[in-house]
Amino acid sequence: MKILVIHQVPYRKMSYHLGLDHDRHEVTYIGYPQRMADLPAELRCRRIELTEGEDLVEGVTARVSPRDGFEKLLSLSEFGILQAWHIRRHLGLAGPSLEQIERVRDKVSMKQALADSGIRHPRFEPAPAPCDALPWTGRTVIKPRQGASSEGVTLHDTAREALTAYWKLDDRLDFQLEEYIDGDILHIDGLVSDGTPGDLVVSRYINKPVEYLDGHVIASHQIPDPHGRFRHFAEQVVKALEIESGCVHLELFETAEGELVFLEIANRMGGAGVVNAHLGHTGVHLPSHEIAIRLGLERPAPAEPSGRYHGWLVVPGHHLGTRGHTITVPEAVRQHPAIDALHVLAPEQPLPDHITYHEWLVPVFIEASHADAGELAAFFRECARTITVEPAPAGG
């Protein structure tokens, strides 16, 4: 099979070689210089490098054509799904429709598609008129209609304050207003094949993704789903949004009363430590299985599950500036039996200047597991309480 890969996600996150036989198939990678540089030198493939800063769709379509004979296109990035639609049209390849893509990329379209499904979701307003009031009065979120990692999200104490902030935005049409839902945030990760979700794993966040923007630690740990309540919710969402294939990363609220409320969904694998946690708990390597599903290949045999609940914790550094820093990880954390991997930024490495969850860029990243989900959660809370990152004094 002749395959074109739009290479946007770091190779160490995708490990394409685990799911794609490069000796059996004719694989071409195309992408920007920084990303292409992380392809393993020994990987058998053709490589096409774009010019830094050029439009991805224009760059790809200028370099490949239907005459090249590509049979499949792989684009597994959150940000490449829409671009891939244009490139598939250029190459004459089948794939999801623009409407299907919007339902998993645009946070307004996905909630509109749930309108008659019976699935509760936050009330929202994509384009209020200048004199309109919102149909709720309390805490309100302004968030981009598209995007990931909670970038651009702001929280306001009242609907009136949110509207005032909304009208000050120059690019307000790219944003929506949404009522704040009070509750824990969970995420469900798995795979969809022929419209049927499977290999679903439920995890609960410690702190919320939006709090990570302000410098709070975020963690996630898997939890049991003995009665299938969360799995059933995910199945309903996948069916309502007509997701046909690939990874899904579904985020939802669980209120104090136990009600489940849809937050958003992405038709790609989750970030941070989701892939390794999922692999440990289920034996399923999400990227490899997604590649097989999207290419119509036989899925790899899963590894042996660990029999434990897995999770991850990230200590941010983007809010501290890039100058020197001091990281303190207590010895009790370093030696804890739940620890599977501990990544600590080297003193000579600068703190990240942007929001990231990559373990090789953040000050501290922990992967851990335990036979008891509650014990794992308690360990992560202790980590969040005791691990510190202090920037060097100005002028120091």
Side-chain angles (χ1 to χ4, degrees):
M1 188 185 302
K2 198 167 184 179
I3 303 161
L4 179 64
V5 180
I6 310 299
H7 183 37
Q8 293 173 286
V9 182
Y11 193 92
R12 67 178 80 183
K13 287 290 186 182
M14 302 305 301
S15 298
Y16 286 101
H17 62 281
L18 297 180
L20 186 55
D21 187 336
H22 288 68
D23 293 319
R24 178 183 175 190
H25 302 287
E26 189 176 339
V27 184
T28 297
Y29 290 88
I30 189 166
Y32 295 113
Q34 181 183 11
R35 190 54 53 234
M36 294 298 290
D38 74 7
L39 289 173
E42 68 277 9
L43 197 67
R44 181 184 176 274
C45 62
R46 180 186 176 205
R47 304 159 195 248
I48 302 175
E49 191 169 289
L50 302 174
T51 302
E52 194 65 55
E54 75 174 310
D55 180 82
L56 186 135
V57 174
E58 291 178 1
V60 174
T61 55
R63 291 166 174 82
V64 300
S65 75
R67 294 189 300 275
D68 292 312
F70 290 111
E71 300 164 77
K72 293 286 185 177
L73 174 70
L74 270 181
S75 179
L76 304 181
S77 164
E78 169 85 12
F79 304 101
I81 296 174
L82 180 57
Q83 295 162 325
W85 180 81
H86 293 284
I87 296 166
R88 284 193 182 93
R89 290 188 69 200
H90 169 72
L91 296 175
L93 299 177
S97 68
L98 186 58
E99 183 182 21
Q100 288 174 308
I101 290 169
E102 286 178 343
R103 286 198 296 267
V104 295
R105 283 286 293 135
D106 183 90
K107 293 175 176 59
V108 169
S109 297
M110 64 180 67
K111 288 194 288 289
Q112 288 174 334
L114 296 178
D116 299 320
S117 68
I119 299 169
R120 187 188 164 194
H121 54 77
R123 289 177 290 177
F124 65 101
E125 177 53 64
C131 297
D132 280 358
L134 296 176
W136 65 90
T137 58
R139 301 179 80 185
T140 300
V141 180
I142 299 177
K143 63 171 62 174
R145 292 180 59 140
Q146 300 189 26
S149 303
S150 298
E151 289 198 69
V153 175
T154 56
L155 176 61
H156 304 267
D157 288 334
T158 67
R160 182 185 295 274
E161 290 177 15
L163 275 170
T164 300
Y166 173 83
W167 286 110
K168 293 179 180 178
L169 295 172
D170 293 329
D171 52 351
R172 67 181 70 95
L173 294 181
D174 295 330
F175 287 78
Q176 59 145 346
L177 297 113
E178 186 176 284
E179 70 170 326
Y180 177 84
I181 302 295
D182 193 9
D184 288 350
I185 299 182
L186 293 79
H187 59 94
I188 303 176
D189 298 274
L191 293 146
V192 179
S193 181
D194 295 326
T196 301
D199 301 300
L200 298 173
V201 176
V202 187
S203 302
R204 189 182 303 274
Y205 283 116
I206 295 173
N207 293 335
K208 296 180 179 179
V210 70
E211 294 174 316
Y212 185 79
L213 306 185
D214 296 326
H216 294 277
V217 171
I218 189 170
S220 162
H221 62 94
Q222 295 165 346
I223 61 173
D225 184 21
H227 305 296
R229 185 168 67 105
F230 299 114
R231 183 181 68 249
H232 178 64
F233 184 87
E235 291 169 346
Q236 287 182 301
V237 171
V238 167
K239 180 179 180 181
L241 297 181
E242 299 179 332
I243 298 172
E244 287 297 316
S245 63
C247 286
V248 286
H249 177 70
L250 166 64
E251 295 189 334
L252 62 149
F253 298 98
E254 184 179 30
T255 68
E257 296 74 34
E259 184 179 16
L260 304 184
V261 183
F262 174 87
L263 174 55
E264 59 188 54
I265 194 169
N267 195 185
R268 46 86 177 165
M269 66 181 191
V274 166
V275 170
N276 282 350
H278 200 281
L279 175 61
H281 188 67
T282 67
V284 172
H285 183 248
L286 288 172
S288 298
H289 283 250
E290 177 167 30
I291 288 168
I293 289 169
R294 292 196 180 277
L295 296 181
L297 303 173
E298 183 178 354
R299 290 174 59 176
E304 186 69 27
S306 68
R308 296 162 70 88
Y309 296 97
H310 292 253
W312 47 268
L313 175 142
V314 191
V315 179
H318 59 267
H319 60 297
L320 297 174
T322 58
R323 64 182 185 269
H325 55 273
T326 301
I327 299 171
T328 302
V329 180
E331 197 62 24
V333 170
R334 292 178 180 271
Q335 300 301 325
H336 198 282
I339 287 275
D340 294 320
L342 171 63
H343 308 264
V344 180
L345 199 67
E348 66 274 12
Q349 285 185 262
L351 295 172
D353 61 359
H354 61 285
I355 297 165
T356 179
Y357 294 86
H358 291 327
E359 61 268 26
W360 61 93
L361 294 177
V362 298
V364 181
F365 189 99
I366 293 174
E367 295 173 278
S369 62
H370 199 285
D372 186 295
E375 290 293 329
L376 182 59
F379 168 65
F380 280 139
R381 290 193 183 96
E382 181 66 10
C383 291
R385 188 182 67 83
T386 60
I387 295 173
T388 62
V389 182
E390 298 293 337

